[in-house]
Amino acid sequence: MQFKIQFQKIASKIYGAKNLHEILVSLVGEIADLFKAERITIYVLDGEKRELVSQYKTGNDTKEIRTKVSSESISGYAAHRQKLVNIKNAYDDKELASIDPELKFNKNWDEKSGFVTKQVLAAPIFFQRYLMGAIQLINHKDGTPFTKLDEKALMELAKIIGIGLHNLKRTQRQSNHKYTHLLQNHIVSPKDLKAAQDDAARNRDNIENVLMNRYSVAKKDIVESLGKYHGAPAIEYNEETPIPKDLLRGVKVPFMRNNLWVPLRIEKDKIIIVIDDPQNFQKIGAIKSVFPNNPLEFIVATKEDILEYIRLFTEGKKKSAPEPADIDIEALSDELLKGVEGDDESSEEDSLVSEESSAVVKLVNKIIIDSFHSNVSDIHIEPQPGKEDVRIRTRIDGACQWYPMKIPYTHRNAIASRIKIMSGLDIAERRKPQDGKIPFKKYGGLDIELRVATIPTQGGLEDIVMRILAAGEPIPFDKLGFADINRNRFLEIIKQPYGIIFVCGPTGSGKTTTLHSALKVINTVDRKIWTAEDPVEITQKGLRQVQMQPKIGLNFASAMRAFLRADPDVIMVGEMRDKETTAIGIEASLTGHLVFSTLHTNSAPESITRLLDMGMDPFNFADAMLGIMAQRLLRTLCKDCKKPYTPNKQEYENLIREYGEKDFHKNLKIPLSDVTLYKPEGCDKCNNTGYRGRMGIHELLVGTDEIKKLIQTQARVKDIQTQAIEEGMRTLKQDGVEKIFGGATDLLQVKKVCIS
């Protein structure tokens, strides 16, 4: 029992170690006492020299011991052969030969120190499948061999040290920064780097492109910075590089593209690999499986350069074709109009244009790429009856506007067919709605996905709506725009061990974004989280995410049933739109699971009535409910051109009325003399609209005892709302008005998304 307690203490210290010295030097005495060994050495792998390195203290100095990963020493043999070695007498050559004829005992240390080595127990240190070092115990204090229990405990300790070493490596990398070199050499300022990161995130662009194009950072400086960060050589793309045909044989191009690596050349027996992250164990392991018989050397390049090398080696293209977004609108319009004039006698002109024609392909790609770079969420293609031009509207920050190009009616069928081909739909079916997805990287270079819906309209035409899916990492929780009271209360309920939480609102109100940001807060190694989504737009490491496929019977209800058999702690369901899914969710939340989901309802109190109308048992639902949050997205004023002003008394009192006079004096208490409001002005950055970006407004109803009682008695929505407000709930409009006082938006935008 004492051994177990001491072992756990040592494990905790290893996990909490802040530097390598704490593991290699400070803990050796405690580990030696634990195993009743006279000496202990912990080695760390030096990957470049293929040596094991340890540190020991002599006086006030710390010195190094090095030994090769080979059979020339016992610890080197354990690391080389990747197995535990237990030796009764290190000087017994027969015993060593019985283990392996090549195994040797290095007597140099004994000869220098006068120490006599007898029993040796050595084990390799791994993290997952990757060698990190070795640990060696010398001489049992009672002179007996190390036991089987010692062997088992040492292997367990080696595993713990492996995790500790990996955590240290990761922490050291995080404390450094990919662009530290740029900052240290004043190539870019911290302010500009932060702005570049924000620009890249907002426009879904590569930060390296932003630094080069908008902040005039030379590519060679970026490459040098990446090399210093990763501790590896770094190169820029060279279109004269010979194609390594032998190395590419049998390697799948999507595998290289998705993992951002490509073989460059062979130097002697060593294969040189260009990669974006030479310290990613998973990538390195996968590449080693492709080239198992050769040592590998990794060099760093930017993502764009790696993709250029892949194109050069697999397609023979020395330069990427210019993006269709660079095509001149007038030139493309002229190309579309060729052949249209003079064909008025034909009633089937539009059927004669091919969906594979150069102009149509360019046009569709251009619309998508322009929309992506303009931060568009939805593209609406609207053919008109007769011989009117096709119009296109794009939705930015929730508001639609015209795309600056009309398309001749002769091309309407070709455009519809082209989009159907890209999304895998039936081009012959024009009488009923269809839906699909476009993996746009195949067609236009941008690594984005679009959800496509076709809808038949009068006159035998088809409208097409394409939603650009905002794939990527979740938004940090603190950037969701929560008021303090909502943020604190929502954080409190998402950290509960079980129960059910709903986020409600119309399509496009940011429900999934909020749920993923919440999941990121609780996404720790000790929690198993399953998600059922349609589509999977945001990805997170640690989550097990499942894409719904209704055509094969994989829907939310069947996914929920499967999750409950897969030992979950937390379940997130994209939407609860039917009784079966909701019932399973409530049952799961009552049996020790934390469940998140969304609803298409207008307000938090209304959601309760909606769920009870589905047939949910009010007592079970009341017991399960932790909270319901309604949210909307409203347009925010452009930060670059919004104009401050002091409101008059009438405008101030109007805002108080909108908030609710009683609640205003209870919650906000802002006197007119302290109020500065802002109004839209218009500039180039916001396209002269005065608005740029969106933020959330929230209405959080928490499942308190009083609210649960009202649910059990199936009280009216008004009564639930009144009780919730008394307990501190802010309505959507109140949260919106609070953000007006904060200078983020104006009353017009709040009224657009909130009921008067």
Side-chain angles (χ1 to χ4, degrees), residues 418-429:
R418 174 63 185 165
I419 293 171
K420 286 180 179 179
I421 288 169
M422 294 169 73
S423 49
L425 303 180
D426 182 358
I427 63 170
E429 180 55 74

Side-chain angles (χ1 to χ4, degrees), residues 28-29 31-33 35-42 65 109-110 113-117 119-121 135-141 146:
V28 293
I31 298 172
D33 290 342
F35 286 91
K36 296 182 173 58
E38 290 184 7
R39 291 193 175 180
I40 177 175
T41 311
I42 301 172
I65 310 171
W109 183 256
D110 280 11
S113 64
F115 183 82
V116 180
T117 301
Q119 304 87 25
V120 181
L121 181 62
I135 181 170
Q136 178 176 265
L137 304 175
I138 299 176
N139 291 358
H140 225 200
K141 286 182 178 178
F146 289 102

Side-chain angles (χ1 to χ4, degrees), residues 220-240:
K220 66 179 181 61
D221 291 324
I222 291 175
V223 171
E224 185 177 353
S225 188
L226 292 175
K228 287 180 181 294
Y229 170 71
H230 290 293
I235 62 165
E236 291 184 56
Y237 173 70
N238 180 359
E239 66 178 19
E240 301 303 325

Side-chain angles (χ1 to χ4, degrees), residues 297-316:
E297 181 178 320
F298 295 94
I299 56 179
V300 182
T302 65
K303 174 182 175 181
E304 295 300 323
D305 280 0
I306 293 169
L307 294 175
E308 287 291 352
Y309 272 123
I310 294 171
R311 288 188 195 101
L312 175 65
F313 293 166
T314 60
E315 302 172 22

Side-chain angles (χ1 to χ4, degrees), residues 461-490:
L461 304 175
E462 282 182 292
D463 272 33
I464 297 176
V465 180
M466 296 184 282
R467 166 159 288 190
I468 299 174
L469 300 180
E473 293 286 318
I475 296 172
F477 189 83
D478 288 339
K479 293 188 177 181
L480 291 178
F482 278 107
D484 288 343
I485 185 171
N486 286 335
R487 180 179 64 250
N488 296 337
R489 296 176 92 188
F490 195 56

Side-chain angles (χ1 to χ4, degrees), residues 271-368:
I271 298 176
I272 310 299
I273 304 287
V274 185
I275 193 169
D276 70 319
D277 183 358
Q279 297 181 21
N280 184 312
F281 288 145
Q282 282 73 23
K283 281 189 187 183
I284 302 305
I287 297 168
K288 282 181 177 177
S289 68
V290 178
F291 304 107
N293 302 320
N294 296 79
L296 306 179
E297 181 178 320
F298 295 94
I299 56 179
V300 182
T302 65
K303 174 182 175 181
E304 295 300 323
D305 280 0
I306 293 169
L307 294 175
E308 287 291 352
Y309 272 123
I310 294 171
R311 288 188 195 101
L312 175 65
F313 293 166
T314 60
E315 302 172 22
K317 293 181 180 177
K318 291 203 169 184
K319 269 192 175 179
S320 293
E323 284 190 341
D326 297 332
I327 297 169
D328 181 75
I329 283 185
E330 290 185 11
L332 185 55
S333 295
D334 291 342
E335 191 173 346
L336 290 172
L337 288 168
K338 281 180 184 176
V340 174
E341 294 176 8
D343 281 341
D344 292 339
E345 294 178 9
S346 172
S347 60
E348 297 293 330
E349 303 100 321
D350 55 338
S351 66
L352 301 177
V353 180
S354 169
E355 63 274 2
E356 297 296 335
S357 77
S358 169
V360 171
V361 170
K362 286 178 188 176
L363 174 64
V364 172
N365 285 3
K366 176 172 176 54
I367 292 167
I368 292 171

Side-chain angles (χ1 to χ4, degrees), residues 415-461:
I415 288 169
S417 296
R418 174 63 185 165
I419 293 171
K420 286 180 179 179
I421 288 169
M422 294 169 73
S423 49
L425 303 180
D426 182 358
I427 63 170
E429 180 55 74
R430 298 169 64 179
R431 298 168 300 169
K432 63 182 182 181
Q434 298 184 69
D435 59 89
K437 286 183 184 174
I438 298 176
F440 190 65
K441 194 171 183 179
K442 285 169 57 178
Y443 304 100
L446 284 177
D447 190 8
I448 58 173
E449 191 173 60
L450 297 96
R451 187 166 59 193
V452 178
T454 70
I455 302 172
T457 52
Q458 64 94 16
L461 304 175

Side-chain angles (χ1 to χ4, degrees), residues 657-687:
R657 279 195 301 274
E658 294 290 349
Y659 191 94
E661 191 168 345
K662 177 184 173 184
D663 292 328
F664 180 86
H665 295 301
K666 175 184 172 184
N667 298 331
L668 298 186
K669 305 174 186 174
I670 305 173
L672 176 58
S673 58
D674 290 346
V675 175
T676 300
L677 300 183
Y678 293 83
K679 57 186 175 183
E681 188 74 7
C683 66
D684 291 340
K685 289 189 177 179
C686 62
N687 203 20

